[in-house]
Amino acid sequence: MEPGAAIDAFTRFVAQAPLLGFHVAFDRALIERSCAALKRPPPGNGWLDIEPLAALLHPQVRARSLDDWMAHLRIRCLRRHHAAADALATAELLLHLWPQLRAEGATGFDEAAALAARRRWLAGA
């Protein structure tokens, strides 16, 4: 697929949905750089990095990578480092975190993003 068509298709696909991931900085930079190179605006969607949420909600766990969190929470992934499988593993991680997120007052994306930002600020990241 031609790059411009790919970015346009991606933008239509995500519409206004929040973009979630584990260590999303790379994905965000890649998408925004591609949009800039193609002279297209980047998606205006909110971004949520699951890693700071996991670290905030489980401060006793010294996990850093998605693999570490998967091992800690016994999340199985049949094929790591493939987009769909990694997305499923990340979604399962978020499902594990959701009850604790709700206990912290996060009932939706905005509250979860605020918690993630708090963790980044506390960690000095």
Side-chain angles (χ1 to χ4, degrees):
M1 178 181 281
E2 182 267 319
I7 287 292
D8 293 343
F10 174 76
T11 302
R12 282 191 308 276
F13 175 73
V14 298
Q16 297 302 310
L19 302 171
L20 314 174
F22 194 91
H23 289 155
V24 297
F26 173 80
D27 304 286
R28 186 174 189 170
L30 182 72
I31 291 166
E32 289 177 354
R33 195 173 305 136
S34 296
C35 288
L38 295 165
K39 301 193 183 334
R40 287 173 169 74
N45 309 46
W47 287 86
L48 178 61
D49 193 340
I50 305 302
E51 189 278 330
L53 290 177
L56 180 71
L57 297 171
H58 292 275
Q60 74 286 3
V61 178
R62 297 291 177 218
R64 290 285 299 150
S65 70
L66 180 56
D67 289 313
D68 293 340
W69 283 105
M70 289 169 52
H72 176 72
L73 296 170
R74 296 184 177 98
I75 296 171
R76 295 189 58 197
C77 183
L78 296 176
R79 196 164 188 202
R80 280 285 286 125
H81 305 293
H82 287 80
D86 289 353
L88 179 59
T90 302
E92 288 187 45
L93 173 57
L94 182 58
L95 286 174
H96 278 277
L97 300 176
W98 199 252
Q100 294 150 310
L101 282 169
R102 291 185 60 89
E104 290 286 329
T107 58
F109 177 81
D110 291 336
E111 294 90 356
L115 281 172
R118 184 174 89 190
R119 164 66 180 151
R120 281 192 306 275
W121 182 81
L122 290 173

